[in-house]
Amino acid sequence: MQSWNRQSWAVQWKALLLALLAVLVASCASTDEEEEGLPSGNRTEQAFYEAAQRQLRSSQWELAIKNLRALEDNFPFGNYAEQAQLELIYAYYRDYQNDAAISAADRFIRLHPQHRNVDYAYYMKGLASFTEGSGLFERFLPTDMTRRDPGSARESFAYFAQLMARYPDSRYAPDAQKRMIHLRNLLARYEIHVANYYFKRGAYLASANRGRFVVENFQQTPAVPDALAVMVQSYHLLDMSQLENTSLEVLRTNYPDHPAFNKDGSFNYKYYAGAKGRSLAHRMTLGLFEKSDPRGFDSREIYNAEYRPENAPLPPEL
């Protein structure tokens, strides 16, 4: 009899422990659901979608991504599946997960090539590439993006161009076109930075080639005046007088107010002296013990409205 009581007591304790464990698990599950923004125990497609919508509106990007992915995993053929895929692209982009945004856009295009909103996926690919490399530092402090690796800019330009070619009447086309103009200006200015670098190293032929590349491939960008000045200076240092005179005539005719011109209209060949204007110590130590650099060709504040200081005079009309 006493042995039976002990067995009964042990069974009751086990049942009590199991009940407590079940309550604990349910409590944890409820907590997880509340953290996800879902009503406790409600795992329907609509509940996932409505929770994601609330989180998108309140900029809770990580939670929105979690719920949108859960919706797609659990209801791949549901009523909200396609919309959730589009909103997942946006949530990744806003959470600065640009690679994930591009991958999600590629996946949507592959799965729904004829979808009425597929142009949005193309647009977001360009937008995500447009901001690729903009880390925490760049978000809060001004950074000269023209000095960064132009790979992301070229990729973004290609994506926007693809949108314009496929969907020229898209609602996103006007914004894409403006961004393409900005990217083209950025790529052209990058070439000028490289040309200035070659000047510092005394590589005048390489500098001239960069200037010519801008003139031939980035016409009507604000970098063209500096590209022509680069060519004039480079050909002068290379003793290529015919090419120098041709470049100088084009520069003087089209951009007479370029800062490389003296007041009397002559070209200032000391404006950027390059390696020939450096001291022997600078050339021998590659600038390690003499840090001062000559001015580079950079007339953005004159010819590019994006960099023009407030109240600065506009360039004269041609």
Side-chain angles (χ1 to χ4, degrees):
M1 185 72 173
Q2 191 175 10
S3 175
W4 182 87
N5 287 335
R6 290 198 188 96
Q7 292 177 357
S8 176
W9 183 253
V11 170
Q12 291 178 14
W13 265 108
K14 287 180 181 179
L16 180 61
L17 288 173
L18 289 173
L20 289 173
L21 182 60
V23 170
L24 181 61
V25 170
S27 175
C28 291
S30 176
T31 300
D32 289 342
E33 288 173 348
E34 290 173 0
E35 289 178 354
E36 294 171 7
L38 289 172
S40 178
N42 190 348
R43 314 293 288 183
T44 65
E45 180 187 12
Q46 185 173 355
F48 276 116
Y49 185 74
E50 290 178 353
Q53 291 300 300
R54 290 194 299 271
Q55 290 148 5
L56 288 172
R57 288 193 294 269
S58 59
S59 302
Q60 295 176 287
W61 311 119
E62 290 186 8
L63 289 177
I65 290 169
K66 186 174 183 180
N67 279 308
L68 290 168
R69 292 183 62 178
L71 187 155
E72 188 178 3
D73 290 342
N74 290 280
F75 307 96
F77 305 106
N79 295 327
Y80 299 101
E82 293 179 2
Q83 185 63 29
Q85 290 170 13
L86 283 173
E87 291 175 354
L88 185 60
I89 300 170
Y90 176 76
Y92 277 133
Y93 169 72
R94 292 303 304 272
D95 199 41
Y96 298 101
Q97 298 186 46
N98 294 316
D99 288 339
I102 293 171
S103 296
D106 280 330
R107 182 169 179 269
F108 185 88
I109 293 169
R110 186 175 65 254
L111 294 175
H112 313 287
Q114 304 301 322
H115 195 279
R116 65 183 182 279
N117 291 323
V118 71
D119 59 332
Y120 176 78
Y122 282 102
Y123 172 73
M124 289 303 296
K125 283 180 64 177
L127 206 59
S129 296
F130 186 85
T131 55
E132 181 64 31
S134 298
L136 183 64
F137 182 81
E138 290 81 1
R139 294 175 207 167
F140 298 101
L141 294 177
T143 303
D144 187 354
M145 299 303 293
T146 65
R147 295 181 181 273
R148 298 179 64 91
D149 183 347
S152 295
R154 292 194 185 103
E155 188 177 68
S156 179
F157 187 92
Y159 289 147
F160 284 133
Q162 192 175 29
L163 168 67
M164 297 294 294
R166 291 175 178 267
Y167 306 97
D169 298 325
S170 168
R171 60 187 293 190
Y172 308 106
D175 184 70
Q177 188 173 32
K178 292 179 182 178
R179 293 180 186 276
M180 289 175 70
I181 292 172
H182 171 77
L183 287 166
R184 193 165 178 266
N185 293 344
L186 186 151
L187 291 170
R189 178 53 53 181
Y190 173 81
E191 297 295 327
I192 301 300
H193 287 315
V194 175
N196 287 332
Y197 170 82
Y198 284 140
F199 269 124
K200 294 178 184 181
R201 297 294 178 263
Y204 306 128
L205 181 59
S207 183
N209 288 337
R210 290 286 179 162
R212 186 180 65 187
F213 181 79
V214 171
V215 172
E216 293 177 351
N217 296 278
F218 295 99
Q219 296 179 17
Q220 298 180 345
T221 64
V224 169
D226 287 330
L228 288 166
V230 163
M231 294 169 67
V232 173
Q233 181 83 345
S234 299
Y235 291 137
H236 174 75
L237 294 169
L238 291 167
D239 295 323
M240 303 174 71
S241 57
Q242 184 175 354
L243 292 174
E244 174 195 345
N245 292 332
T246 301
S247 303
L248 179 58
E249 185 62 27
V250 176
L251 178 63
R252 179 178 287 116
T253 300
N254 293 279
Y255 307 100
D257 291 329
H258 191 279
F261 284 117
N262 295 314
K263 291 183 178 180
D264 62 0
S266 61
F267 190 87
N268 180 9
Y269 290 103
K270 295 182 179 180
Y271 182 82
Y272 197 167
K276 285 187 177 179
R278 303 299 184 80
S279 68
L280 179 61
H282 188 287
R283 295 197 298 270
M284 291 183 65
T285 63
L286 298 178
L288 293 177
F289 298 104
E290 187 180 344
K291 295 296 184 180
S292 61
D293 286 326
R295 291 175 294 177
F297 290 107
D298 191 347
S299 60
R300 279 179 286 182
E301 292 186 358
I302 299 176
Y303 298 106
N304 191 337
E306 293 182 29
Y307 298 92
R308 190 175 301 132
E310 189 176 358
N311 299 324
L314 295 172
E317 294 184 5
L318 300 179

